[in-house]
Amino acid sequence: MQQPPPLISVLTPVYNGERYLAECIESVQAQTLTEWEFIIVDNCSEDSSADLAERYAATDKRIRVVRCTEFVNVHRNFSRSIRLTHPRSKYYKFLSAGRLDVS
């Protein structure tokens, strides 16, 4: 039986976000709504962000990891992330894998 399209596409463009990525992924997995896809777009990270994301993807088919081979600025990484979503997804949400320091 084929899976229905996701209602929500959650997008995490990431560059060296290993420190907070597990918390980010687990926050999506903890949602009560289950009709989502989670696309993590690794922008040539120099840490273990992509490896960590792929470990989660191996256990949850709703998670997809895209390892990019070309580093781009943050705006282009967000743009390429949105192009990877399911065409029938109704909503899109960008979710950061980092913390903002506003002090």
Side-chain angles (χ1 to χ4, degrees):
M1 188 165 120
Q2 189 174 358
Q3 293 280 348
L7 180 63
I8 301 170
S9 293
V10 181
L11 306 160
T12 297
V14 65
Y15 174 72
N16 291 343
E18 175 185 19
R19 182 173 178 189
Y20 299 110
L21 188 56
E23 182 180 358
C24 174
I25 295 168
E26 290 170 12
S27 74
V28 175
Q29 289 179 311
Q31 299 303 306
T32 56
L33 180 84
T34 59
E35 298 150 331
W36 49 262
E37 67 174 347
F38 188 11
I39 305 169
I40 302 164
V41 183
D42 182 66
N43 191 15
C44 301
S45 292
E46 298 169 350
D47 64 4
S48 297
S49 294
D51 293 331
L52 175 65
E54 285 180 346
R55 286 195 297 275
Y56 280 91
T59 64
D60 191 330
K61 65 183 182 242
R62 299 170 296 177
I63 300 172
R64 181 165 36 119
V65 180
V66 177
R67 287 183 182 238
C68 298
T69 58
E70 175 191 9
F71 179 82
V72 296
N73 68 35
V74 66
H75 304 291
R76 287 185 58 202
N77 200 33
F78 272 68
S79 293
R80 73 178 164 195
S81 298
I82 200 82
R83 288 191 303 267
L84 296 167
T85 60
H86 192 286
R88 291 181 49 207
S89 184
K90 188 170 181 179
Y91 302 102
Y92 304 95
K93 173 65 179 167
F94 283 97
L95 180 62
S96 176
R99 295 200 188 256
L100 295 176
D101 183 5
V102 292
S103 57

